[in-house]
Amino acid sequence: MVAAMTDLFPPWPLFSAFLLASLVLAVTPGPSVIYIVTRSLVQGRRSGVVSVAGVALGNLGNAFAASVGLAALFAVSSLAFSVVKYAGALYLVYLGVRMLRSSPVENSAAVPAAAPHPRIFRDGFVVALLNPKTTIFFVAFLPQFLNPDAPPVFQSMALGFLFVAIAAVTDSGYALAAGAAAPALRRSAVRRLGRRLGGGVFIGLGLFAAFAGSRGAK
């Protein structure tokens, strides 16, 4: 049993390289980090942490998809890739428009204690899951660290889970740091500007996801 578990990970020199590369990639700001920071600034620390959980679960879905070969479908079918990519982009734009159209009363109620956490979790999950470039990233990144003598599907799932866990830790750091600044924003006269900025960021992320190339990770 112990031997079977150790087969899920490469030898230590390669495994240490995987951990270092994962940490560097996780702390590098990308669309998910911007999404989480925006949530934390606009709606508070707890909302940011809930977004981290939703994004992590969505990324796990992408890691699983990569393990079972869905990324291969995206690679050979531009239609499948485009459908998922544009669905995710439209959802980001929808979140931005919804934030821009929210009233000051709604925004004042969106403090951490009153934030609709199930909806925030769902939003983070959908945003991360409907990003096929994350699946492509996993299928390109994880094979570099697989042990050829062990089943590749289970190895890639284990490494994908570990990568998502590392990213969740670093994303939580971003959420906590941004959430610490949220009370000052809510007490200041720029609260409305912060809401508009957050909505603009979501719309910008949606447009970026729609028109960017196939590169991208997190």
Side-chain angles (χ1 to χ4, degrees), residues 9 18 32 36 51-71 74 121 124-139 142 153-169 171 217-218:
F9 301 104
F18 168 80
S32 294
I36 290 165
S51 295
V52 170
V55 167
L57 185 61
N59 285 335
L60 275 178
N62 283 313
F64 177 77
S67 300
V68 299
L70 185 57
F74 288 152
F121 179 88
F125 172 75
V126 172
V127 165
L129 188 67
L130 293 182
N131 183 7
K133 290 185 290 184
T134 305
T135 310
I136 298 295
F137 162 75
F138 278 125
V139 84
L142 297 179
V153 173
F154 295 109
Q155 283 187 89
S156 60
M157 290 179 64
L159 292 176
F161 179 86
L162 186 55
F163 179 90
V164 171
I166 293 171
V169 172
D171 287 349
K218 191 174 149 288

Side-chain angles (χ1 to χ4, degrees), residues 37-138:
V37 168
T38 302
R39 277 290 192 190
S40 302
L41 287 173
V42 175
Q43 294 185 311
R45 182 181 304 171
R46 292 184 183 177
S47 295
V49 173
V50 171
S51 295
V52 170
V55 167
L57 185 61
N59 285 335
L60 275 178
N62 283 313
F64 177 77
S67 300
V68 299
L70 185 57
L73 172 63
F74 288 152
V76 301
S77 172
S78 58
L79 177 60
F81 181 90
S82 297
V83 167
V84 178
K85 181 178 75 170
Y86 290 124
L90 284 173
Y91 194 76
L92 280 170
V93 172
Y94 160 74
L95 292 179
V97 171
R98 189 176 69 187
M99 185 173 291
L100 289 174
R101 295 183 62 183
S102 63
S103 67
V105 174
E106 289 177 312
N107 190 59
S108 298
V111 296
H117 291 162
R119 188 178 70 188
I120 292 173
F121 179 88
R122 180 203 66 195
D123 290 346
F125 172 75
V126 172
V127 165
L129 188 67
L130 293 182
N131 183 7
K133 290 185 290 184
T134 305
T135 310
I136 298 295
F137 162 75
F138 278 125

Side-chain angles (χ1 to χ4, degrees), residues 2 25 30 33 138 143 153-154 214:
V2 175
L25 290 169
V33 170
F138 278 125
V153 173
F154 295 109
S214 60

